[in-house]
Amino acid sequence: MGTGTPHTVKRARRVVDAVVDGVADLGVHHIFGVDGANIEDLYDALFTTARAVRGVVAKHEFGAATMADGYARTAGGLGVVAATSGGGAMNLVAGLAESYTSKVPVLALIGQPPTTLEGTGAFQDTSGKAGSIHAVRLFTEVSRYCARIERPDDLAAHLERAVAAAWSGGSAVLLLPKDIQQATVDDAFTFRPPPRRSGQDPDGLTRIRDMLAAARHTGKIVLVAGDQVARDDARDQLRALAAAVDAAVGVAPDAKDVYPADQPGFCGVTGTMGHTDLIEAVRHSALCLLIGTRLPATARAGLDTAVAAVPVASVGVEPPYVPAVHATSLDLRQTLAEFVDQFSSGSRRPDPVKHSALTALEVPENSGLGLRYREAVEAIAAMMPAGSDVFADAGNTGAAVVHHLPVSRGGRFVVALGMGGMGYSFGAAIGAAFARGSQAHGDVSAPGRRTFVIAGDGAFYMHGMEIHTAIEYQLPVTFVVFNNNAHAMCLTREQLFYFGRYSFNRFRPSSLAEGIGVMFPSLPAHPARTLDQLFDALEAATTTSGPSFIAVDCDPDEFPPFLPFLTQPAIEDSHRDRPASRPQ
């Protein structure tokens, strides 16, 4: 935890000292990572700095990368991750790929062996010389910018370019050889933080304004909002636009927090885990306006026919995957505010559409052991403090959370669908908790604010040991793990697509809460095998200042609210003939 007393010996300013100062200049308060020989000088700089930035050591570099990702998504700024060379660097790839695909600004600082040893068989050499792995080429594929710092004087320019690239949406990488980290920088060294990206397409926005004006007179407008609304902090402007044009509003799976479910006109979530109400709304609309979403496959399932039959417009960083009239906007807050000004003035605001309960996807009846997905998720929603942040993991559990969980006002909702890497939520939630603590002037235990992880046991087995980091820093994170002793989505696919003839994806039964409670005696750990036990565990978690752990028993054979599964002709036979839940 960075314990010790900084020494006061005056010494020359090193490259790593300049890096730490640059991170602090960007308003970043935490660098997440795992220490090692070729990045330890950065940790020394973090220990000796007087700036308000500190190092957080994770259990695994993937976890550290997702912490930086979750930090950036929650704070609306830049996330920073550090790793050593070799295996440590390689472990970052999956996490950086998520940030790259989801356009989350993350800066990776990766240590390298000294330049004098490149191409000589050095341990963990990734210089690309003498047949070694070429780190620049490798990380270029998962970043908007990647550079190896070859000279101390090159640092400022590369750091500025890397940050600017990250601000454009995605990860950026700086490779730092150990001797370069230790080298001194010139007294004239200056890092100038680049401005946040801005800009829009005036002609395109004019076309979309005309389409909105025409649609108001001919029928209903449907807005479908994506994650860029959250990244640009444009939630208020989205709600104002919906009211100004009397629109129905749907959200992409990774954007449930941009328009609360209790707001007028809300008609559900798009895509594979979505609601039929939204499909019907689009089908009967005069215009479907996509805001800050490209509508990828996970957000488009079920909508293809509907959007093909109505006019579609789009505003955001990039054009959508469906045909649409698109206008580029790098700042939705500004763009939507301009739309609101045009459609709010000089006319009476129509009565808002009344909110009504959404139609849930119908899943086959289940009589297995444990709690059903819907009742467990609704219990979590009922007990979740206002303003809580939620990080859901991939899989059947994630599908249930996207479909059934209403998001409270003021909190973030994140499901990582860029790469869908299992275990993402554990690190990302920890990064979010640090971000909230920074916003509360460093008090990570600020009352009234909790972060929830909702994941399956498969995701927990991959990267769940990051809970140790939450314990070390006493972060207010509640880890809810749905334990069905299976990789349940893979199991469901075996049943549907391979006729349930076999299963590679059932586990031996595990008592997760009891095991975690023994492993970490200071961590409140609660089993929840009944609904009453779940309510009691959630209530206990809200009175805990630090982390807590809840294991919810559920049935691996329950079908989730996941459209591709529920539309399979074999679903009834598969459900009727499936094997009972059993230990191996």
mmCIF file with all atom_site columns, all heavy atoms in Angstrom, residues 37-54:
data_model
loop_
_atom_site.group_PDB
_atom_site.id
_atom_site.type_symbol
_atom_site.label_atom_id
_atom_site.label_alt_id
_atom_site.label_comp_id
_atom_site.label_asym_id
_atom_site.label_entity_id
_atom_site.label_seq_id
_atom_site.pdbx_PDB_ins_code
_atom_site.Cartn_x
_atom_site.Cartn_y
_atom_site.Cartn_z
_atom_site.occupancy
_atom_site.B_iso_or_equiv
_atom_site.pdbx_formal_charge
_atom_site.auth_seq_id
_atom_site.auth_comp_id
_atom_site.auth_asym_id
_atom_site.auth_atom_id
_atom_site.pdbx_PDB_model_num
ATOM 1   N N   . ALA A 1 37 ? 10.722 -5.569 -11.973 1.00 0.00 ? 37 ALA A N   1
ATOM 2   C CA  . ALA A 1 37 ? 12.059 -4.990 -12.079 1.00 0.00 ? 37 ALA A CA  1
ATOM 3   C C   . ALA A 1 37 ? 12.132 -3.848 -13.084 1.00 0.00 ? 37 ALA A C   1
ATOM 4   O O   . ALA A 1 37 ? 12.838 -2.855 -12.857 1.00 0.00 ? 37 ALA A O   1
ATOM 5   C CB  . ALA A 1 37 ? 13.064 -6.080 -12.452 1.00 0.00 ? 37 ALA A CB  1
ATOM 6   N N   . ASN A 1 38 ? 11.414 -3.958 -14.180 1.00 0.00 ? 38 ASN A N   1
ATOM 7   C CA  . ASN A 1 38 ? 11.540 -2.939 -15.219 1.00 0.00 ? 38 ASN A CA  1
ATOM 8   C C   . ASN A 1 38 ? 10.467 -1.852 -15.161 1.00 0.00 ? 38 ASN A C   1
ATOM 9   O O   . ASN A 1 38 ? 10.336 -1.064 -16.100 1.00 0.00 ? 38 ASN A O   1
ATOM 10  C CB  . ASN A 1 38 ? 11.548 -3.604 -16.611 1.00 0.00 ? 38 ASN A CB  1
ATOM 11  C CG  . ASN A 1 38 ? 12.879 -4.272 -16.892 1.00 0.00 ? 38 ASN A CG  1
ATOM 12  O OD1 . ASN A 1 38 ? 13.924 -3.805 -16.468 1.00 0.00 ? 38 ASN A OD1 1
ATOM 13  N ND2 . ASN A 1 38 ? 12.839 -5.396 -17.603 1.00 0.00 ? 38 ASN A ND2 1
ATOM 14  N N   . ILE A 1 39 ? 9.755  -1.796 -14.043 1.00 0.00 ? 39 ILE A N   1
ATOM 15  C CA  . ILE A 1 39 ? 8.826  -0.678 -13.826 1.00 0.00 ? 39 ILE A CA  1
ATOM 16  C C   . ILE A 1 39 ? 8.969  -0.132 -12.402 1.00 0.00 ? 39 ILE A C   1
ATOM 17  O O   . ILE A 1 39 ? 8.316  0.821  -12.004 1.00 0.00 ? 39 ILE A O   1
ATOM 18  C CB  . ILE A 1 39 ? 7.360  -1.099 -14.113 1.00 0.00 ? 39 ILE A CB  1
ATOM 19  C CG1 . ILE A 1 39 ? 6.461  0.132  -14.356 1.00 0.00 ? 39 ILE A CG1 1
ATOM 20  C CG2 . ILE A 1 39 ? 6.797  -1.947 -12.979 1.00 0.00 ? 39 ILE A CG2 1
ATOM 21  C CD1 . ILE A 1 39 ? 6.787  0.913  -15.577 1.00 0.00 ? 39 ILE A CD1 1
ATOM 22  N N   . GLU A 1 40 ? 9.877  -0.696 -11.613 1.00 0.00 ? 40 GLU A N   1
ATOM 23  C CA  . GLU A 1 40 ? 9.996  -0.322 -10.202 1.00 0.00 ? 40 GLU A CA  1
ATOM 24  C C   . GLU A 1 40 ? 10.428 1.134  -10.017 1.00 0.00 ? 40 GLU A C   1
ATOM 25  O O   . GLU A 1 40 ? 10.109 1.753  -8.985  1.00 0.00 ? 40 GLU A O   1
ATOM 26  C CB  . GLU A 1 40 ? 10.978 -1.262 -9.487  1.00 0.00 ? 40 GLU A CB  1
ATOM 27  C CG  . GLU A 1 40 ? 12.391 -1.206 -10.038 1.00 0.00 ? 40 GLU A CG  1
ATOM 28  C CD  . GLU A 1 40 ? 13.271 -2.333 -9.516  1.00 0.00 ? 40 GLU A CD  1
ATOM 29  O OE1 . GLU A 1 40 ? 12.753 -3.186 -8.761  1.00 0.00 ? 40 GLU A OE1 1
ATOM 30  O OE2 . GLU A 1 40 ? 14.467 -2.369 -9.877  1.00 0.00 ? 40 GLU A OE2 1
ATOM 31  N N   . ASP A 1 41 ? 11.118 1.701  -10.979 1.00 0.00 ? 41 ASP A N   1
ATOM 32  C CA  . ASP A 1 41 ? 11.519 3.106  -10.834 1.00 0.00 ? 41 ASP A CA  1
ATOM 33  C C   . ASP A 1 41 ? 10.308 4.033  -10.861 1.00 0.00 ? 41 ASP A C   1
ATOM 34  O O   . ASP A 1 41 ? 10.316 5.088  -10.219 1.00 0.00 ? 41 ASP A O   1
ATOM 35  C CB  . ASP A 1 41 ? 12.502 3.489  -11.939 1.00 0.00 ? 41 ASP A CB  1
ATOM 36  C CG  . ASP A 1 41 ? 13.818 2.721  -11.810 1.00 0.00 ? 41 ASP A CG  1
ATOM 37  O OD1 . ASP A 1 41 ? 14.612 3.069  -10.921 1.00 0.00 ? 41 ASP A OD1 1
ATOM 38  O OD2 . ASP A 1 41 ? 14.009 1.759  -12.575 1.00 0.00 ? 41 ASP A OD2 1
ATOM 39  N N   . LEU A 1 42 ? 9.273  3.634  -11.583 1.00 0.00 ? 42 LEU A N   1
ATOM 40  C CA  . LEU A 1 42 ? 8.044  4.429  -11.576 1.00 0.00 ? 42 LEU A CA  1
ATOM 41  C C   . LEU A 1 42 ? 7.422  4.417  -10.184 1.00 0.00 ? 42 LEU A C   1
ATOM 42  O O   . LEU A 1 42 ? 6.957  5.454  -9.694  1.00 0.00 ? 42 LEU A O   1
ATOM 43  C CB  . LEU A 1 42 ? 7.055  3.883  -12.607 1.00 0.00 ? 42 LEU A CB  1
ATOM 44  C CG  . LEU A 1 42 ? 5.707  4.608  -12.660 1.00 0.00 ? 42 LEU A CG  1
ATOM 45  C CD1 . LEU A 1 42 ? 5.872  6.014  -13.229 1.00 0.00 ? 42 LEU A CD1 1
ATOM 46  C CD2 . LEU A 1 42 ? 4.699  3.817  -13.507 1.00 0.00 ? 42 LEU A CD2 1
ATOM 47  N N   . TYR A 1 43 ? 7.442  3.268  -9.525  1.00 0.00 ? 43 TYR A N   1
ATOM 48  C CA  . TYR A 1 43 ? 6.898  3.188  -8.169  1.00 0.00 ? 43 TYR A CA  1
ATOM 49  C C   . TYR A 1 43 ? 7.751  3.999  -7.192  1.00 0.00 ? 43 TYR A C   1
ATOM 50  O O   . TYR A 1 43 ? 7.230  4.602  -6.243  1.00 0.00 ? 43 TYR A O   1
ATOM 51  C CB  . TYR A 1 43 ? 6.771  1.728  -7.728  1.00 0.00 ? 43 TYR A CB  1
ATOM 52  C CG  . TYR A 1 43 ? 5.571  1.046  -8.349  1.00 0.00 ? 43 TYR A CG  1
ATOM 53  C CD1 . TYR A 1 43 ? 5.677  0.380  -9.557  1.00 0.00 ? 43 TYR A CD1 1
ATOM 54  C CD2 . TYR A 1 43 ? 4.326  1.113  -7.731  1.00 0.00 ? 43 TYR A CD2 1
ATOM 55  C CE1 . TYR A 1 43 ? 4.583  -0.217 -10.151 1.00 0.00 ? 43 TYR A CE1 1
ATOM 56  C CE2 . TYR A 1 43 ? 3.222  0.511  -8.314  1.00 0.00 ? 43 TYR A CE2 1
ATOM 57  C CZ  . TYR A 1 43 ? 3.342  -0.146 -9.516  1.00 0.00 ? 43 TYR A CZ  1
ATOM 58  O OH  . TYR A 1 43 ? 2.238  -0.725 -10.100 1.00 0.00 ? 43 TYR A OH  1
ATOM 59  N N   . ASP A 1 44 ? 9.054  4.038  -7.426  1.00 0.00 ? 44 ASP A N   1
ATOM 60  C CA  . ASP A 1 44 ? 9.906  4.883  -6.594  1.00 0.00 ? 44 ASP A CA  1
ATOM 61  C C   . ASP A 1 44 ? 9.532  6.346  -6.764  1.00 0.00 ? 44 ASP A C   1
ATOM 62  O O   . ASP A 1 44 ? 9.488  7.112  -5.792  1.00 0.00 ? 44 ASP A O   1
ATOM 63  C CB  . ASP A 1 44 ? 11.382 4.659  -6.976  1.00 0.00 ? 44 ASP A CB  1
ATOM 64  C CG  . ASP A 1 44 ? 12.327 5.479  -6.101  1.00 0.00 ? 44 ASP A CG  1
ATOM 65  O OD1 . ASP A 1 44 ? 12.396 5.209  -4.881  1.00 0.00 ? 44 ASP A OD1 1
ATOM 66  O OD2 . ASP A 1 44 ? 12.971 6.398  -6.643  1.00 0.00 ? 44 ASP A OD2 1
ATOM 67  N N   . ALA A 1 45 ? 9.232  6.741  -8.008  1.00 0.00 ? 45 ALA A N   1
ATOM 68  C CA  . ALA A 1 45 ? 8.815  8.124  -8.253  1.00 0.00 ? 45 ALA A CA  1
ATOM 69  C C   . ALA A 1 45 ? 7.471  8.420  -7.597  1.00 0.00 ? 45 ALA A C   1
ATOM 70  O O   . ALA A 1 45 ? 7.252  9.520  -7.061  1.00 0.00 ? 45 ALA A O   1
ATOM 71  C CB  . ALA A 1 45 ? 8.745  8.376  -9.761  1.00 0.00 ? 45 ALA A CB  1
ATOM 72  N N   . LEU A 1 46 ? 6.576  7.444  -7.604  1.00 0.00 ? 46 LEU A N   1
ATOM 73  C CA  . LEU A 1 46 ? 5.289  7.632  -6.936  1.00 0.00 ? 46 LEU A CA  1
ATOM 74  C C   . LEU A 1 46 ? 5.468  7.779  -5.431  1.00 0.00 ? 46 LEU A C   1
ATOM 75  O O   . LEU A 1 46 ? 4.771  8.555  -4.774  1.00 0.00 ? 46 LEU A O   1
ATOM 76  C CB  . LEU A 1 46 ? 4.368  6.442  -7.243  1.00 0.00 ? 46 LEU A CB  1
ATOM 77  C CG  . LEU A 1 46 ? 3.740  6.412  -8.632  1.00 0.00 ? 46 LEU A CG  1
ATOM 78  C CD1 . LEU A 1 46 ? 3.150  5.036  -8.925  1.00 0.00 ? 46 LEU A CD1 1
ATOM 79  C CD2 . LEU A 1 46 ? 2.671  7.485  -8.757  1.00 0.00 ? 46 LEU A CD2 1
ATOM 80  N N   . PHE A 1 47 ? 6.427  7.043  -4.882  1.00 0.00 ? 47 PHE A N   1
ATOM 81  C CA  . PHE A 1 47 ? 6.671  7.112  -3.441  1.00 0.00 ? 47 PHE A CA  1
ATOM 82  C C   . PHE A 1 47 ? 7.249  8.459  -3.032  1.00 0.00 ? 47 PHE A C   1
ATOM 83  O O   . PHE A 1 47 ? 6.925  8.983  -1.963  1.00 0.00 ? 47 PHE A O   1
ATOM 84  C CB  . PHE A 1 47 ? 7.623  5.981  -3.038  1.00 0.00 ? 47 PHE A CB  1
ATOM 85  C CG  . PHE A 1 47 ? 7.972  5.969  -1.579  1.00 0.00 ? 47 PHE A CG  1
ATOM 86  C CD1 . PHE A 1 47 ? 7.003  5.773  -0.611  1.00 0.00 ? 47 PHE A CD1 1
ATOM 87  C CD2 . PHE A 1 47 ? 9.286  6.149  -1.170  1.00 0.00 ? 47 PHE A CD2 1
ATOM 88  C CE1 . PHE A 1 47 ? 7.328  5.763  0.737   1.00 0.00 ? 47 PHE A CE1 1
ATOM 89  C CE2 . PHE A 1 47 ? 9.623  6.140  0.172   1.00 0.00 ? 47 PHE A CE2 1
ATOM 90  C CZ  . PHE A 1 47 ? 8.634  5.951  1.134   1.00 0.00 ? 47 PHE A CZ  1
ATOM 91  N N   . THR A 1 48 ? 8.094  9.027  -3.863  1.00 0.00 ? 48 THR A N   1
ATOM 92  C CA  . THR A 1 48 ? 8.794  10.253 -3.477  1.00 0.00 ? 48 THR A CA  1
ATOM 93  C C   . THR A 1 48 ? 8.070  11.520 -3.887  1.00 0.00 ? 48 THR A C   1
ATOM 94  O O   . THR A 1 48 ? 8.414  12.601 -3.407  1.00 0.00 ? 48 THR A O   1
ATOM 95  C CB  . THR A 1 48 ? 10.205 10.277 -4.100  1.00 0.00 ? 48 THR A CB  1
ATOM 96  O OG1 . THR A 1 48 ? 10.106 10.157 -5.522  1.00 0.00 ? 48 THR A OG1 1
ATOM 97  C CG2 . THR A 1 48 ? 11.053 9.150  -3.553  1.00 0.00 ? 48 THR A CG2 1
ATOM 98  N N   . THR A 1 49 ? 7.071  11.427 -4.752  1.00 0.00 ? 49 THR A N   1
ATOM 99  C CA  . THR A 1 49 ? 6.422  12.641 -5.231  1.00 0.00 ? 49 THR A CA  1
ATOM 100 C C   . THR A 1 49 ? 5.581  13.303 -4.144  1.00 0.00 ? 49 THR A C   1
ATOM 101 O O   . THR A 1 49 ? 5.021  12.629 -3.272  1.00 0.00 ? 49 THR A O   1
ATOM 102 C CB  . THR A 1 49 ? 5.526  12.353 -6.450  1.00 0.00 ? 49 THR A CB  1
ATOM 103 O OG1 . THR A 1 49 ? 5.025  13.593 -6.966  1.00 0.00 ? 49 THR A OG1 1
ATOM 104 C CG2 . THR A 1 49 ? 4.340  11.463 -6.077  1.00 0.00 ? 49 THR A CG2 1
ATOM 105 N N   . ALA A 1 50 ? 5.497  14.620 -4.238  1.00 0.00 ? 50 ALA A N   1
ATOM 106 C CA  . ALA A 1 50 ? 4.598  15.379 -3.367  1.00 0.00 ? 50 ALA A CA  1
ATOM 107 C C   . ALA A 1 50 ? 3.265  15.650 -4.054  1.00 0.00 ? 50 ALA A C   1
ATOM 108 O O   . ALA A 1 50 ? 2.367  16.253 -3.444  1.00 0.00 ? 50 ALA A O   1
ATOM 109 C CB  . ALA A 1 50 ? 5.250  16.708 -2.974  1.00 0.00 ? 50 ALA A CB  1
ATOM 110 N N   . ARG A 1 51 ? 3.115  15.205 -5.299  1.00 0.00 ? 51 ARG A N   1
ATOM 111 C CA  . ARG A 1 51 ? 1.886  15.427 -6.045  1.00 0.00 ? 51 ARG A CA  1
ATOM 112 C C   . ARG A 1 51 ? 0.796  14.473 -5.571  1.00 0.00 ? 51 ARG A C   1
ATOM 113 O O   . ARG A 1 51 ? 1.070  13.429 -4.967  1.00 0.00 ? 51 ARG A O   1
ATOM 114 C CB  . ARG A 1 51 ? 2.124  15.237 -7.550  1.00 0.00 ? 51 ARG A CB  1
ATOM 115 C CG  . ARG A 1 51 ? 3.247  16.086 -8.141  1.00 0.00 ? 51 ARG A CG  1
ATOM 116 C CD  . ARG A 1 51 ? 2.912  17.571 -8.091  1.00 0.00 ? 51 ARG A CD  1
ATOM 117 N NE  . ARG A 1 51 ? 1.744  17.895 -8.903  1.00 0.00 ? 51 ARG A NE  1
ATOM 118 C CZ  . ARG A 1 51 ? 1.752  18.128 -10.212 1.00 0.00 ? 51 ARG A CZ  1
ATOM 119 N NH1 . ARG A 1 51 ? 2.909  18.046 -10.877 1.00 0.00 ? 51 ARG A NH1 1
ATOM 120 N NH2 . ARG A 1 51 ? 0.644  18.431 -10.865 1.00 0.00 ? 51 ARG A NH2 1
ATOM 121 N N   . ALA A 1 52 ? -0.459 14.815 -5.862  1.00 0.00 ? 52 ALA A N   1
ATOM 122 C CA  . ALA A 1 52 ? -1.605 14.028 -5.391  1.00 0.00 ? 52 ALA A CA  1
ATOM 123 C C   . ALA A 1 52 ? -1.885 12.866 -6.335  1.00 0.00 ? 52 ALA A C   1
ATOM 124 O O   . ALA A 1 52 ? -2.952 12.770 -6.965  1.00 0.00 ? 52 ALA A O   1
ATOM 125 C CB  . ALA A 1 52 ? -2.826 14.919 -5.267  1.00 0.00 ? 52 ALA A CB  1
ATOM 126 N N   . VAL A 1 53 ? -0.926 11.959 -6.455  1.00 0.00 ? 53 VAL A N   1
ATOM 127 C CA  . VAL A 1 53 ? -1.097 10.766 -7.266  1.00 0.00 ? 53 VAL A CA  1
ATOM 128 C C   . VAL A 1 53 ? -0.373 9.625  -6.563  1.00 0.00 ? 53 VAL A C   1
ATOM 129 O O   . VAL A 1 53 ? 0.729  9.808  -6.042  1.00 0.00 ? 53 VAL A O   1
ATOM 130 C CB  . VAL A 1 53 ? -0.562 10.978 -8.703  1.00 0.00 ? 53 VAL A CB  1
ATOM 131 C CG1 . VAL A 1 53 ? 0.906  11.387 -8.702  1.00 0.00 ? 53 VAL A CG1 1
ATOM 132 C CG2 . VAL A 1 53 ? -0.773 9.737  -9.558  1.00 0.00 ? 53 VAL A CG2 1
ATOM 133 N N   . ARG A 1 54 ? -1.008 8.464  -6.510  1.00 0.00 ? 54 ARG A N   1
ATOM 134 C CA  . ARG A 1 54 ? -0.385 7.333  -5.821  1.00 0.00 ? 54 ARG A CA  1
ATOM 135 C C   . ARG A 1 54 ? -0.552 6.058  -6.628  1.00 0.00 ? 54 ARG A C   1
ATOM 136 O O   . ARG A 1 54 ? -1.417 5.952  -7.504  1.00 0.00 ? 54 ARG A O   1
ATOM 137 C CB  . ARG A 1 54 ? -0.979 7.155  -4.422  1.00 0.00 ? 54 ARG A CB  1
ATOM 138 C CG  . ARG A 1 54 ? -2.461 6.819  -4.381  1.00 0.00 ? 54 ARG A CG  1
ATOM 139 C CD  . ARG A 1 54 ? -2.865 6.435  -2.977  1.00 0.00 ? 54 ARG A CD  1
ATOM 140 N NE  . ARG A 1 54 ? -4.306 6.338  -2.804  1.00 0.00 ? 54 ARG A NE  1
ATOM 141 C CZ  . ARG A 1 54 ? -4.876 5.669  -1.805  1.00 0.00 ? 54 ARG A CZ  1
ATOM 142 N NH1 . ARG A 1 54 ? -4.125 5.062  -0.908  1.00 0.00 ? 54 ARG A NH1 1
ATOM 143 N NH2 . ARG A 1 54 ? -6.192 5.618  -1.691  1.00 0.00 ? 54 ARG A NH2 1
#
